[in-house]
Amino acid sequence: MARIIDSRPLLDAFLGVLRPLSGRVAQAVGRTPGLAILRAVENAGSAAYATRIRAAAAQAGIACHEVPVAARTDGAAGVRAQVSALSAAPDIDGILILLPLPAGLAMPQAMACMDPDRDVDCQHPLNLGRLMTGNPLYLPCTATAAVMLAEGMLRDLRGMNCAVIGASASVGRPLALQLLDRGATVDVLHIQTRDIAAHARRAQVVFAAAGHAGLVDATWVSPGAVLVDIGINADPSGRPGVVGDIDAAAVADHAAAVTAVPDGVGPMTTGFLLANTVHAASRRAGLDFTIPDLTTLPAWQALRL
């Protein structure tokens, strides 16, 4: 049976390491690092995610400010104005914009109003460009979480055949770049890929980020493959909760491991978001900052297959 990977213990350990770094910023500038979460007030999913981020931020010594926007009354212009105001706020070091956005406003338009130094989700064109050149300012949160979990299980991705299912600018493409930087051989699969299951079967590591519930079943998986499920989808059966892009039950007898949903990639995505926030605050305070080394944590060692 495939091992189910839960990253919550690793997140708890990571937040414990971040907390003294947050304290160093607070001592230097007289306030804790600040993260603003801009979210649609009408959306229960974004509200639940914001609640989880707030809890983790408290563990890391980060002040978390929720900024709800009402799509019907605030609209696209209101969101852009909020992003601009937050970019100028002295107590805000990082800004996270949660989907969905009001009609008529795409994420690139919202990001155009943001100070790239406060883009702790690494979605601003300047930060994506820095990632492309191999010199990122901040780590792309979801992509980094997915890669680090794969490395935790396998230790070394050099020479590994990896398949990334999904080519979005927010996850798939940054993920492919990070895998290339680690020496992996990468296939990026998408809706136009012919015989996509055959491509996926050739991979030793599959990263599923297509946003399609249960897309990856046993016919997509080679024996002993490691599966990293990045998808967060409503359960097609109508049951409460969320499901991933991988049909965990269907692949259980084929894969070596599959990350849990939402407790696999999700917790560490939050971890890197908060690490980027401390990084942003450190930069504004004129302090050096290095992302803590996960490999020294016992919870990292426990991921090893």
Side-chain angles (χ1 to χ4, degrees):
M1 293 290 290
R3 181 178 165 196
I4 305 300
I5 301 298
D6 184 329
S7 75
R8 286 175 294 179
L10 182 57
L11 173 63
D12 287 339
F14 189 44
L15 297 178
V17 177
L18 277 180
R19 190 174 184 89
L21 301 179
S22 297
R24 185 182 63 157
V25 174
Q27 187 173 23
V29 300
R31 63 167 182 83
T32 58
L35 171 67
I37 303 174
L38 197 70
R39 67 169 184 84
V41 70
E42 305 92 341
N43 188 270
S46 65
Y49 184 35
T51 298
R52 291 194 295 273
I53 294 173
R54 280 204 319 271
Q59 284 184 253
I62 295 170
C64 193
H65 310 270
E66 274 194 71
V67 184
V69 293
R72 292 177 183 171
T73 56
D74 294 326
V79 172
R80 289 197 296 267
Q82 287 276 23
V83 173
S84 296
L86 291 170
S87 290
D91 60 338
I92 298 299
D93 301 294
I95 303 170
L96 172 66
I97 301 175
L98 295 182
L99 297 174
L101 292 171
L105 181 66
M107 186 62 82
Q109 295 169 312
M111 296 306 303
C113 303
M114 188 185 295
D115 175 1
D117 285 352
R118 287 173 167 83
D119 168 35
V120 290
D121 200 26
C122 195
Q123 297 295 307
H124 193 283
L126 287 179
N127 288 331
L128 290 172
R130 288 169 174 146
L131 180 66
M132 175 67 75
T133 63
N135 187 33
L137 177 60
Y138 302 124
L139 295 173
C141 304
T142 303
T144 303
V147 171
M148 292 303 294
L149 288 180
E151 283 191 326
M153 289 183 272
L154 298 167
R155 291 300 183 265
D156 192 350
L157 298 178
R158 287 177 296 179
M160 288 275 186
N161 293 326
C162 297
V164 177
I165 303 172
S168 70
S170 59
V171 179
R173 297 182 193 194
L175 174 54
L177 289 172
Q178 291 212 320
L179 290 169
L180 288 171
D181 286 344
R182 284 162 168 79
T185 299
V186 186
D187 281 337
V188 179
L189 314 180
H190 48 80
I191 196 168
Q192 302 296 335
T193 302
R194 296 180 181 178
D195 200 357
I196 189 170
H199 284 278
R201 280 196 302 273
R202 290 198 290 268
Q204 297 161 283
V205 189
V206 175
F207 298 85
H212 188 295
L215 176 68
V216 178
D217 62 21
T219 66
W220 295 50
V221 177
S222 63
V226 169
L227 310 180
V228 181
D229 195 344
I230 304 168
I232 299 287
N233 311 285
D235 192 324
S237 70
R239 289 175 295 194
V242 295
V243 298
D245 287 358
I246 296 172
D247 185 337
V251 303
D253 292 332
H254 293 73
V258 57
T259 59
V261 175
D263 295 325
V265 174
M268 285 309 297
T269 295
T270 299
F272 284 111
L273 172 73
L274 298 176
N276 285 344
T277 301
V278 178
H279 183 187
S282 298
R283 293 181 72 247
R284 293 182 68 202
L287 302 173
D288 293 332
F289 178 83
T290 301
I291 291 283
D293 184 3
L294 291 175
T295 65
T296 64
L297 302 175
W300 166 271
Q301 303 297 331
L303 294 176
R304 184 73 180 262
L305 295 179

